[in-house]
Structures are given as C-alpha cells and as structure tokens.
Amino acid sequence: MLAGKIITLNGKYIDIPIAKDFSQEIQLKQVISTVKPPLGWIFSNNVSVSQWYGITAFQKPHAGIDFSVAKKEVLAPDNSTVVSKGYHQPTKCFGGGHYIGIKHDTGTYSFYFHLEKTPSMAVGTRIRRGEVIAKSGNSGVYNCQSLAHHLHFEIRSTQLPKDHMNPVPFIDVDWSQIPTAKSAQYPGRLTGQNPH
C-alpha cells in the first residue's frame, strides 16, 4: 500500500492517499513516477554506493547514503544557502569529520560528511545548482577507526540530524545506473532502502 508516502513537488510536501485496491495503487504509482524529483545529482558522473539509507546490515538506521568516492568534487543539488559547516567529532572515537550543510530553496536541507577539508565558503553564502561545494575525503571516524574515503550524504526536513529522510526520491538521477559497490563481496551492502 502507498499509505503515508510523502514526496516533494515543486518544493512542497504532498501526501499520497491510501490506495483502496490494487488498480488504484497502480494508478498512484504511475502518478508518482511522473513527478520530477526537485534536486539534481551531486556528482559530475555516476558513482557507486557503499551503503544505502535505512536499516542496513551495518547501521540501524543509516541516516544517509554513502558514496564510494575519493577526493571527488561534490556539486550543489539546488540553489541553496550554506547554513552550517565545520568539523564534527562529538567524541574522540566518533565523528563525521569535515562537513557542510546547505538549505535548498525548495525548503529541504542536505548535509555532506567526511570531506577532505571544511569548505571555505561562509555560513550565509548563496550557492547555485551545480556549483562545486566540497571535495569528498576521509575525515570521518567510527570506533576510533578511519572510515576510508567516501561521502556520507543526507537529506533532512530541518537542520536536525533526527529529521533525516531517504535521499533517493529527492534526487533526479536514474538510480538503476548507480551500482552498489562490491555487492558480491559484501552482500550486506545491498540492504537498506536500495532502489534497485
């Protein structure tokens, strides 16, 4: 059933009604499939994912999507304003490292962790869609261990970490072209809200 699903349309949240029968559910899915996601892709080309959003084999829940990239430029998915940046490490053995948070003109927020360095742009800076905002890095720490090069990407309804949402419906990219990295070697990477 589609009850309770929420998507964005032109920067507004809309509730998807409850389907009363199978044929109505198919019609609702067709409507949803025609809605263009509001945010652009955050890289210049397709890259692989090492951990999806949601309840995964590694985290419960994983608050974003981890992209398997090293020192790769990250692009703003929409016209936005920088709302937060710095170095996130609340304890000695845990932290997201260098990060930036931006508020999109559509009202949602996106956060980028484990960056190579804290971006130089000031809080309040306006950013254009497609503009380079950071470079992925290896600054995150978990259980006192480096997390290796990757980008942790979150979509939130507010700036608060608890308000994370699955990024997949918000990003205008063909997710069938975004593979799960080394999934044969690490089948747990296919867990979570994998769109495939």
Side-chain angles (χ1 to χ4, degrees):
M1 295 298 284
L2 295 174
K5 286 202 175 181
I6 299 174
I7 60 173
T8 61
L9 179 61
N10 297 327
K12 297 180 180 176
Y13 293 101
I14 59 173
D15 291 312
I16 300 302
I18 297 171
K20 293 184 171 59
D21 57 40
F22 184 70
S23 64
Q24 190 177 23
E25 185 167 337
I26 290 173
Q27 289 174 346
L28 288 171
K29 284 183 179 178
Q30 289 171 342
V31 169
I32 291 169
S33 70
T34 64
V35 176
K36 182 178 173 65
L39 303 177
W41 186 229
I42 61 171
F43 299 107
S44 59
N45 62 326
N46 290 346
V47 301
S48 59
V49 169
S50 57
Q51 186 173 192
W52 293 97
Y53 173 87
I55 306 300
T56 74
F58 313 106
Q59 286 182 266
K60 300 177 180 12
H62 185 234
I65 294 177
D66 288 347
F67 292 101
S68 299
V69 290
K71 299 185 178 183
K72 187 164 182 68
E73 290 183 337
V74 180
L75 311 177
D78 195 13
N79 294 334
S80 311
T81 302
V82 177
V83 294
S84 182
K85 69 172 195 166
Y87 191 83
H88 174 264
Q89 189 166 357
T91 69
K92 179 181 177 183
C93 290
F94 172 79
H98 298 289
Y99 80 95
I100 188 170
I102 61 177
K103 181 179 182 181
H104 312 131
D105 289 356
T106 54
T108 56
Y109 295 76
S110 58
F111 282 78
Y112 310 79
F113 291 92
H114 318 324
L115 302 175
E116 185 174 52
K117 62 183 180 180
T118 300
S120 59
M121 59 190 70
V123 170
T125 300
R126 290 287 297 158
I127 302 168
R128 293 183 319 277
R129 183 181 180 119
E131 184 177 338
V132 175
I133 57 171
K135 189 176 280 190
S136 66
N138 182 18
S139 59
V141 178
Y142 185 77
N143 286 340
C144 293
Q145 300 292 317
S146 166
L147 290 171
H149 280 91
H150 73 280
L151 177 76
H152 176 81
F153 170 70
E154 294 184 17
I155 294 288
R156 301 177 184 173
S157 58
T158 74
Q159 288 192 61
L160 300 176
K162 70 178 182 66
D163 293 326
H164 56 82
M165 302 180 288
N166 183 2
V168 168
F170 292 87
I171 304 297
D172 186 20
V173 70
D174 181 357
W175 287 101
S176 69
Q177 300 300 308
I178 309 300
T180 304
K182 298 183 180 178
S183 58
Q185 187 177 354
Y186 305 107
R189 289 187 172 183
L190 294 169
T191 58
Q193 293 184 32
N194 185 334
H196 298 117

